[in-house]
Amino acid sequence: MLESIWTLLNLIRVYTKKRGEKPDFEDGLIVRNGTTVEHVCRMVHRTLVDQFKYALAWGTSVKFSPQRVGLSHVLQNEDVICLMTDDESEPLLRDNGRQHTYTSLNSYITANANTTQPSSNTTFASGEKLLSGRYESLDYECDESEIAHMEEKRLGYQHTRRLVVLKWFIMLLIGISTGLTAVFVDYTVKKLTKFKFSYVQNKLDYCLAEHCLFQPYLAWIGINMGMVLVAGFLILWEPVARGSGIPQVKCYLNGVAVPHVLRLKALVAKVLGVIFAVSGGLAVGKEGPMIHSGAIIAGGISQGKSSSLKIDLHIFKYFRTDKHKRDFVAAGAAAGVAAAFGAPVGGVLFALEEGASFFNQQLTWFIFFASMVSTFTLNVVLSAIEGHFGDLSSPGLINFGLFKDVPYMWFELPLFILVGFIGGIFGAVFNQLNLRLTKFRHHYINKRWLLVIELLLVAATTVVIAFLLIIGTMNECRPIKTQLELNSPTIQLFCPDGQYNTMATIVFSTPEQAVRNLFHSEIGTYNAWSLLAFCIVYFCLTCWTYGVIVSSGLFIPSLLIGASWGRLIGIILHTLFPTSVKYFDPGKYALFGAASQLGGTMRMTISLAVILIEATGDIVLGLPIMIVLTVAKLTGDYFNEGFFDIHIALQSVPFLPWESEAFASQLSALSIMSAPVIQIKTVEKVENIYCVLRSESHHGFPVVDHHADNITNQRSGTFQGIILRHQLITILRKRNFISFNDNLRDYLTVDDFRESYPRHPSIESVHLTNDERELYCDLRPYMNLAYTVSHRSTLPRIFGMFRGLGLRHLVVVNDKNEVVGMITRKDLARFRMKHRKGHTSIEELAISN
Amino acid sequence: MWKQLFFCVFIQLIYQNTGDPIYPVQNPCLAILDRLSETSSGFLNCAVSRARPFKLCEGCVDNYARLQDLIGLLDKTYSDVDRKITCKGFLESYDTIQIVAQLISFVENIWISSYCDNCITGYKDTNGTIDYSLTDDTKQFIQKKLNFDFCIFNATGRMVPIIPIDLNVTLNTNVCSVCLTAYNSINEFFLKITQQNNNGVCMDIVDTMNYTRLLWSKIYECRRHDPDYVAVIGISFFIPTIVLVFYISALFKGERKQMKLSRQKRLPPHSTTAAIVGARTWLWSNPNE
């Protein structure tokens, strides 16, 4: 039966074979009878013909097996063919690597194929090999519809000026609120930590003499587990607040609507979560979450309403578009950085480098304003808390302390490069380990109670490790000498009175204080071996902790790891060259180590450099910091991607990088686009619209002119514009219907469409009577005059348009301006470069539900 | 030019005006300078001699108060009849070295960095006699220190050494148990002071405490801790074991979630589409045609 189908269809099977491997009998090529080698080459890839040298064929078509054959050789059924090309590089996109998608290259073959494609439509593939269908794009495009033009004309130029003033005002509010949030986080963390440690320390002091050491130990574990449990439950309540939040904000600014990312709930979970996570003693920082919090605050303030609380202040309604909201969110993220590090310029550059995909001169100034306001709000309030109100010079949440009189000489430059290299390696190792761990968690620890148990175990183990570190270094005591040491929490533990244990002081203080200690303590404070132990332990702990269900930052832990090994290098140099004390200052090398570790992990460049320069307040160290960061990034990039990029990929987000992949120009619009496209006529029957919306989940539909060739329904109409799903739903809900004999037409305004932003109702909420279904909708005033692209355009060009203009839909038209296909973000993001064993190829990701 | 002029005036002030009947016998500023030289050397003398053991605040407060009095005078006294140039200006603004200014800042720096104002208040110079009062905390501290010293004396039969470092006699007495309450009392009181005074504790107290602690833990070898390791080690092994068990059981028992793939719409697989596109390149050519 099967064989007869094959002969009837005049098809044969040919198997390809890679050099040195067994023939691939699973995944053959199906070609028509009488196909030559040349066609097979083209089927595999069209460039293969140009590079073709010869082919080896086995089977019935040749006399010897194998036989060397040329392009014109005719193949027969069940032949095995091995294609040899001029250069040894593999073709860029292999057909068998393409995932369950029919593409233009083999389209006419798969027409009759009933067996070719693997039929399974589930996969075990981990996150980074997929794109998730959950993510929608944001509409960063300007609305170019008739009603928008009418509104613009009606409001006039005055309105534009009013909007600018309002924007300044909103930026001010964003800055102030972000600064206040940062103060709240900082203050609460300090209080809780102080409370916890003073309790544990008192118990410890008492129990050292009374043989009950396990009591403070258990109390410490218990307090930490309790606090962390609160943080964990907050994340279970609002899962988007998990982790640092920077990947989510980055995706949002890239144009991906991450669900819930800007909700008030997320803000609450984020802020409270990070307070309890940091107070619970986990190896996490509070700087990353500050950035996400800033973004949420900005998103909320700029809208003048909260959908969660069902409050609408009816202000700022003109900013209720994705385009405006994006600008504010970028400003909020920058304000978050500014508040966290006391680095307003660093905040702007962070938004520029990591966040905003779309920037202009005016926006930069707006963002700088918001960052400055945020930093100085923080300063004013912190100075008021510390009792000297009005002092604007008190710095941000982390203050590395000034590096005064730290000279460096030309002969240290190679050392800086070495430090950068080490940081790059450590960063790459960190990223790789965390990637593995995250995949493991994704696969095996995916139930809620498992996640909570893991979190509790992490919290408990952190205490155990801290305790063991203290006991291990119990004989390292330093006398309390300076007033500074007297005031900061110095932990005595096993030391004689009047002295303190250095390791215990690091472990018992918040990570920021620990970083500051490592930067500024005098030479000889820390023992090299205990520093090494601390560095290794903290590295593993941080790597393990990032990804459990708490909201957690990575900046400070990375800085702490880097500072500890940097200080170690400083100590080693100091012992090697005891004469040049002036230059080999361990504190200075701790700073460079911290910079290098952070750069090697995050792979940020300019923003990190500026943040560190601003946080240390020393422009003189700018050059070495830059050198260290550059080397760290170069080294790290050789091995893997940046930490946040890895996590974005793991979440299967269709993220568009700055540029399309190299060598992608062989892919044309035809092989990228989705087709056929559901089209809607300019004047469409309500019934049709309703059915389309019910049956399809797409968000944009091309509106086409009524086309003459309506019989076959194959040819498309000429392209007129794009109408969005939520617009259609609004039209249906507002019953904006016409019948053909109506003369009076009542159009909706932009306000009607803006009403439901950002949570548009679903089609299920629309109920139409039978009479209404028979009416028509005139879509011409509402449709967006969108961008189109020719079907011949190449991937890089389309990519550039998408990225540059912030598009959501791009319609592919042919020479006659007829709609051929539609390109969305996922169609572009699914092509990804793969490097393996010196070969470069483009792999195509599958799209999951 | 004007510098030279000032110099001439200066020279005149020093050498010629003394005979002028309008002026007092000696220029008041020069008188203050003389006085300043005496008092400051007195203060330095006192400070250096009380550097070890540190008793600057209590010991040199009279010298310091006198010096402060003089410094205050610098602003109030004038070197000329027109009352235009104060002595401060007269002594400090005509040369670059400014010995008087440096001296004043040096002395004040010593005083401030020792946080002496936190244990001595209200010192002032009234006609050569110095009034000052210790703060309550300081008095209590001194009282507790006396108690402690007395206890040590009772237990060991020796006076507490002023400099504990050079006492290299091992004493096999029960000092540790007898004087523990006295020691704890002074130690806790010190910790309380430290917490109260955020900006700094008077260095006299800090230094006394440091010596007391050194005496206690190094000389008399009183250790207060004798930890029990068994429970600690037990807990330290127990928790990592749970972690291991958790991950291994997760690996073997955990279910991998399958992701559903959504089918994408791609070019419909019949050649009429190619006709619609109107792109009949070789890509679309059928070999059989």
Side-chain angles (χ1 to χ4, degrees):
Chain A
M1 171 64 189
L2 208 62
E3 283 305 311
S4 62
I5 294 176
W6 283 94
T7 39
L8 207 69
L9 294 171
N10 199 21
L11 289 175
I12 58 166
R13 274 167 292 194
V14 177
Y15 299 112
T16 53
K17 167 187 178 312
K18 282 179 200 159
R19 183 192 252 182
E21 291 175 21
K22 289 203 164 171
D24 187 6
F25 283 114
E26 311 287 15
D27 212 347
L29 291 170
I30 290 129
V31 293
R32 302 215 169 192
N33 209 347
T35 316
T36 61
V37 173
E38 189 180 352
H39 284 110
V40 173
C41 288
R42 283 188 172 148
M43 277 162 50
V44 175
H45 199 272
R46 62 172 150 161
T47 56
L48 209 58
V49 178
D50 305 329
Q51 301 165 350
F52 183 81
K53 212 156 83 188
Y54 63 91
L56 294 175
W58 291 258
T60 50
S61 70
V62 285
K63 284 178 192 160
F64 314 104
S65 292
Q67 187 178 340
R68 206 168 149 152
V69 295
L71 273 179
S72 55
H73 178 79
V74 179
L75 295 167
Q76 284 180 10
N77 198 11
E78 310 244 334
D79 272 0
V80 174
I81 184 164
C82 175
L83 301 173
M84 298 295 176
T85 50
D86 266 342
D87 57 348
E88 287 302 310
S89 70
E90 284 178 34
L92 278 168
L93 187 65
R94 291 194 71 88
D95 261 352
N96 48 16
R98 308 199 70 174
Q99 309 240 17
H100 320 293
T101 51
Y102 299 159
T103 60
S104 60
L105 294 172
N106 52 358
S107 61
Y108 73 91
I109 303 162
T110 48
N112 303 321
N114 42 11
T115 53
T116 44
Q117 296 295 335
S119 58
S120 78
N121 49 2
T122 55
T123 177
F124 278 124
S126 54
E128 86 273 21
K129 298 284 180 201
L130 294 171
L131 291 183
S132 175
R134 274 191 317 137
Y135 297 107
E136 305 284 342
S137 289
L138 295 165
D139 293 305
Y140 285 169
E141 224 176 317
C142 301
D143 192 6
E144 276 282 322
S145 62
E146 246 175 73
I147 49 167
H149 293 163
M150 274 158 57
E151 189 188 48
E152 194 181 88
K153 207 185 272 177
R154 183 171 61 81
L155 294 168
Y157 181 64
Q158 285 293 324
H159 176 68
T160 323
R161 282 214 301 235
R162 209 177 303 134
L163 283 194
V164 173
V165 174
L166 272 181
K167 262 192 186 176
W168 281 111
F169 180 61
I170 293 174
M171 291 294 173
L172 182 74
L173 287 182
I174 290 172
I176 292 175
S177 325
T178 312
L180 290 178
T181 314
V183 172
F184 173 68
V185 171
D186 188 50
Y187 184 74
T188 327
V189 166
K190 266 189 192 153
K191 284 284 160 199
L192 281 175
T193 316
K194 202 173 170 188
F195 163 74
K196 181 182 82 177
F197 281 141
S198 59
Y199 179 77
V200 174
Q201 202 188 333
N202 284 343
K203 256 196 123 91
L204 210 56
D205 284 345
Y206 170 72
C207 277
L208 275 173
E210 306 287 326
H211 287 279
C212 55
L213 200 55
F214 66 95
Q215 272 183 22
Y217 195 12
L218 284 181
W220 191 5
I221 292 177
I223 294 174
N224 273 11
M225 276 169 55
M227 285 188 175
V228 161
L229 196 64
V230 176
F233 279 132
L234 281 166
I235 304 301
L236 288 182
W237 177 58
E238 178 55 76
V240 82
R242 185 175 178 177
S244 97
I246 295 178
Q248 282 91 333
V249 173
K250 214 174 152 178
C251 289
Y252 181 87
L253 293 173
N254 190 266
V256 183
V258 183
H260 297 207
V261 71
L262 293 184
R263 296 260 173 106
L264 187 67
K265 247 173 101 177
L267 179 66
V268 174
K270 197 99 216 172
V271 169
L272 294 182
V274 78
I275 287 172
F276 282 107
V278 175
S279 315
L282 293 180
V284 297
K286 55 188 187 296
E287 279 66 28
M290 258 329 292
I291 294 165
H292 190 184
S293 309
I296 302 174
I297 290 169
I301 288 181
S302 66
Q303 303 301 297
K305 70 169 185 178
S306 161
S307 315
S308 305
L309 297 179
K310 305 222 166 29
I311 298 172
D312 190 350
L313 299 176
H314 296 285
I315 47 171
F316 309 144
K317 67 174 181 179
Y318 292 105
F319 295 127
R320 289 178 193 171
T321 61
D322 285 338
K323 188 175 150 59
H324 282 117
K325 203 167 166 183
R326 174 193 67 197
D327 292 352
F328 291 118
V329 169
V337 178
F341 297 99
V345 182
V348 176
L349 292 173
F350 177 84
L352 183 73
E353 188 181 359
E354 288 292 295
S357 317
F358 313 96
F359 240 78
N360 60 41
Q361 176 205 11
Q362 199 199 12
L363 181 62
T364 317
W365 189 236
F366 273 130
I367 292 179
F368 184 61
F369 174 68
S371 309
M372 235 3 156
V373 171
S374 155
T375 310
F376 281 90
T377 309
L378 183 84
N379 292 355
V380 169
V381 181
L382 276 187
S383 62
I385 288 175
E386 280 160 22
H388 32 92
F389 175 74
D391 178 14
L392 291 180
S393 52
S394 132
L397 282 192
I398 51 170
N399 165 22
F400 296 143
L402 282 176
F403 275 86
K404 269 184 206 149
D405 306 324
V406 188
Y408 57 97
M409 292 291 277
W410 58 270
F411 55 79
E412 283 183 86
L413 292 183
L415 288 173
F416 299 154
I417 292 177
L418 181 75
V419 169
F421 182 72
I422 298 173
I425 302 258
F426 280 5
V429 170
F430 184 91
N431 289 1
Q432 202 60 35
L433 287 177
N434 194 267
L435 172 70
R436 290 280 168 87
L437 189 64
T438 311
K439 277 191 193 169
F440 177 84
R441 283 190 177 128
H442 192 74
H443 287 147
Y444 298 111
I445 305 178
N446 41 25
K447 293 198 183 67
R448 287 172 148 230
W449 59 274
L450 280 176
L451 286 167
V452 173
I453 289 178
E454 190 194 17
L455 176 64
L456 291 179
L457 287 177
V458 171
T461 316
T462 309
V463 178
V464 169
I465 286 173
F467 210 86
L468 290 181
L469 264 181
I470 293 175
I471 291 191
T473 61
M474 59 190 278
N475 293 324
E476 270 173 46
C477 298
R478 298 273 304 168
I480 301 175
K481 274 190 288 191
T482 63
Q483 201 66 38
L484 182 81
E485 286 173 323
L486 207 62
N487 287 340
S488 67
T490 44
I491 316 299
Q492 182 184 356
L493 290 184
F494 303 102
C495 290
D497 286 343
Q499 303 201 348
Y500 69 94
N501 183 316
T502 47
M503 192 51 67
T505 304
I506 289 190
V507 169
F508 263 44
S509 50
T510 55
E512 285 104 71
Q513 279 169 332
V515 172
R516 215 173 309 156
N517 283 341
L518 284 172
F519 281 176
H520 293 293
S521 307
E522 58 191 290
I523 302 166
T525 310
Y526 298 102
N527 180 342
W529 290 112
S530 52
L531 215 50
L532 182 69
F534 175 77
C535 174
I536 293 171
V537 161
Y538 208 76
F539 183 92
C540 301
L541 213 52
T542 309
C543 195
W544 185 31
T545 308
Y546 190 90
V548 293
I549 47 161
V550 284
S551 63
S552 56
L554 199 60
F555 280 96
I556 286 294
S558 297
L559 283 174
L560 196 50
I561 297 166
S564 54
W565 64 254
R567 200 174 172 98
L568 197 61
I569 290 180
I571 292 174
I572 292 169
L573 284 174
H574 186 70
T575 34
L576 287 182
F577 309 100
T579 45
S580 34
V581 181
K582 202 177 165 196
Y583 300 113
F584 300 128
D585 171 27
K588 184 176 70 179
Y589 279 89
L591 172 67
F592 296 146
S596 149
Q597 176 73 36
L598 200 51
T601 316
M602 314 261 176
R603 311 286 159 76
M604 302 193 315
T605 48
I606 177 167
S607 51
L608 203 53
V610 173
I611 286 172
L612 286 173
I613 290 172
E614 282 184 287
T616 55
D618 197 345
I619 193 72
V620 179
L621 294 175
L623 179 76
I625 286 178
M626 189 196 75
I627 292 175
V628 159
L629 283 175
T630 314
V631 177
K633 183 179 162 61
L634 283 177
T635 315
D637 279 346
Y638 184 77
F639 297 104
N640 50 26
E641 279 189 306
F643 189 79
F644 295 133
D645 295 312
I646 286 177
H647 276 264
I648 287 173
L650 278 173
Q651 286 167 12
S652 313
V653 180
F655 187 84
L656 294 185
W658 288 105
E659 278 180 335
S660 73
E661 306 285 9
F663 308 116
S665 46
Q666 291 146 7
L667 293 169
S668 72
L670 288 177
S671 44
I672 306 167
M673 68 190 191
S674 309
V677 187
I678 312 283
Q679 298 164 12
I680 291 177
K681 297 191 196 95
T682 44
V683 179
E684 183 68 271
K685 205 172 168 188
V686 172
E687 167 88 56
N688 289 353
I689 293 180
Y690 187 72
C691 289
V692 165
L693 289 179
R694 287 302 290 244
S695 60
E696 301 292 336
S697 62
H698 300 302
H699 275 255
F701 300 96
V703 180
V704 294
D705 219 355
H706 196 67
H707 202 276
D709 191 355
N710 216 3
I711 311 142
T712 57
N713 211 15
Q714 285 297 329
R715 293 187 69 98
S716 320
T718 45
F719 176 71
Q720 295 292 317
I722 277 188
I723 190 116
L724 299 177
R725 184 187 188 83
H726 75 88
Q727 287 179 314
L728 286 175
I729 293 176
T730 310
I731 292 170
L732 293 186
R733 282 168 68 94
K734 302 259 173 193
R735 307 276 192 276
N736 187 250
F737 306 139
I738 53 167
S739 62
F740 269 132
N741 43 15
D742 265 356
N743 287 328
L744 201 63
R745 289 192 185 173
D746 181 24
Y747 290 121
L748 300 176
T749 61
V750 185
D751 276 341
D752 292 314
F753 293 109
R754 217 180 265 139
E755 230 168 48
S756 58
Y757 182 83
R759 296 186 201 173
H760 299 298
S762 68
I763 185 66
E764 278 74 29
S765 65
V766 180
H767 301 287
L768 297 172
T769 63
N770 283 339
D771 287 347
E772 283 169 338
R773 284 171 196 245
E774 293 304 312
L775 294 171
Y776 287 83
C777 274
D778 186 2
L779 302 178
R780 278 170 297 191
Y782 312 123
M783 70 192 184
N784 186 8
L785 309 172
Y787 293 93
T788 58
V789 76
S790 153
H791 65 270
R792 288 193 209 88
S793 317
T794 56
L795 177 61
R797 191 189 169 83
I798 297 169
F799 199 95
M801 279 181 81
F802 244 82
R803 195 69 166 79
L805 298 168
L807 299 182
R808 183 171 185 182
H809 304 102
L810 186 59
V811 177
V812 182
V813 294
N814 64 9
D815 297 336
K816 294 169 195 140
N817 204 26
E818 294 164 343
V819 176
V820 183
M822 181 86 114
I823 295 175
T824 56
R825 170 177 287 269
K826 274 163 221 152
D827 297 326
L828 287 177
R830 69 198 159 104
F831 295 103
R832 205 168 281 171
M833 208 71 157
K834 193 172 70 174
H835 306 276
R836 183 164 289 176
K837 292 173 192 162
H839 289 300
T840 303
S841 58
I842 293 178
E843 67 179 334
E844 191 183 337
L845 308 180
I847 297 175
S848 69
N849 278 331
Chain B
M1 182 61 202
W2 58 272
K3 274 186 187 169
Q4 286 165 2
L5 204 77
F6 272 128
F7 188 64
C8 289
V9 171
F10 186 72
I11 296 293
Q12 277 186 342
L13 281 170
I14 292 174
Y15 293 107
Q16 294 180 2
N17 281 344
T18 43
D20 199 318
I22 304 170
Y23 280 85
V25 181
Q26 197 187 7
N27 183 302
C29 294
L30 294 179
I32 290 177
L33 196 64
D34 274 354
R35 206 59 199 107
L36 204 61
S37 127
E38 280 169 30
T39 344
S40 61
S41 56
F43 177 77
L44 284 183
N45 200 359
C46 168
V48 173
S49 62
R50 278 158 214 266
R52 197 90 313 168
F54 198 94
K55 282 276 177 280
L56 175 87
C57 303
E58 220 182 314
C60 306
V61 64
D62 44 353
N63 282 313
Y64 182 74
R66 275 189 208 111
L67 203 55
Q68 280 299 66
D69 198 39
L70 262 180
I71 291 167
L73 222 64
L74 278 178
D75 275 331
K76 291 175 204 154
T77 325
Y78 296 88
S79 68
D80 54 343
V81 249
D82 300 337
R83 302 177 76 80
K84 274 189 184 143
I85 306 169
T86 60
C87 277
K88 198 178 171 62
F90 170 75
L91 292 173
E92 289 177 5
S93 50
Y94 300 121
D95 63 308
T96 50
I97 309 294
Q98 302 184 343
I99 294 174
V100 174
Q102 287 207 30
L103 176 82
I104 293 171
S105 78
F106 173 70
V107 169
E108 290 197 327
N109 189 28
I110 288 182
W111 191 258
I112 288 169
S113 56
S114 312
Y115 298 101
C116 287
D117 287 347
N118 287 351
C119 51
I120 295 179
T121 50
Y123 47 86
K124 62 175 187 285
D125 183 4
T126 39
N127 300 329
T129 51
I130 311 294
D131 299 331
Y132 64 91
S133 57
L134 298 173
T135 57
D136 292 345
D137 281 350
T138 318
K139 282 177 195 157
Q140 283 185 47
F141 184 81
I142 291 169
Q143 185 57 46
K144 283 179 196 295
K145 171 69 176 158
L146 281 176
N147 286 348
F148 177 72
D149 287 356
F150 187 62
C151 174
I152 295 279
F153 177 74
N154 278 350
T156 60
R158 290 171 177 230
M159 285 296 288
V160 174
I162 298 169
I163 304 292
I165 295 166
D166 49 42
L167 182 90
N168 42 16
V169 189
T170 321
L171 299 149
N172 286 322
T173 50
N174 49 356
V175 184
C176 291
S177 53
V178 172
C179 297
L180 186 66
T181 42
Y183 175 75
N184 274 350
S185 152
I186 187 170
N187 198 21
E188 274 155 26
F189 185 71
F190 176 72
L191 288 177
K192 206 185 92 190
I193 297 179
T194 323
Q195 277 163 10
Q196 278 169 359
N197 295 329
N198 261 331
N199 45 352
V201 180
C202 177
M203 208 57 203
D204 279 11
I205 295 180
V206 175
D207 199 68
T208 313
M209 192 64 219
N210 278 350
Y211 276 154
T212 313
R213 282 169 164 177
L214 213 61
L215 193 76
W216 184 253
S217 47
K218 283 276 161 67
I219 309 298
Y220 300 123
E221 290 181 340
C222 296
R223 290 177 177 276
R224 55 192 191 104
H225 47 73
D226 183 18
D228 47 338
Y229 289 111
V230 184
V232 173
I233 291 171
I235 297 168
S236 307
F237 273 101
F238 178 63
I239 285 170
T241 317
I242 298 180
V243 172
L244 269 184
V245 168
F246 173 77
Y247 278 105
I248 291 171
S249 58
L251 183 62
F252 286 109
K253 290 277 175 184
E255 295 165 32
R256 268 182 89 150
K257 258 193 210 158
Q258 260 190 334
M259 302 288 280
K260 266 193 181 167
L261 292 182
S262 62
R263 209 175 176 81
Q264 297 294 299
K265 289 180 180 173
R266 297 292 169 228
L267 260 192
H270 31 83
S271 48
T272 45
T273 318
I276 292 169
V277 174
R280 291 183 67 88
T281 56
W282 63 267
L283 242 177
W284 304 96
S285 63
N286 190 319
N288 281 353
E289 274 178 8

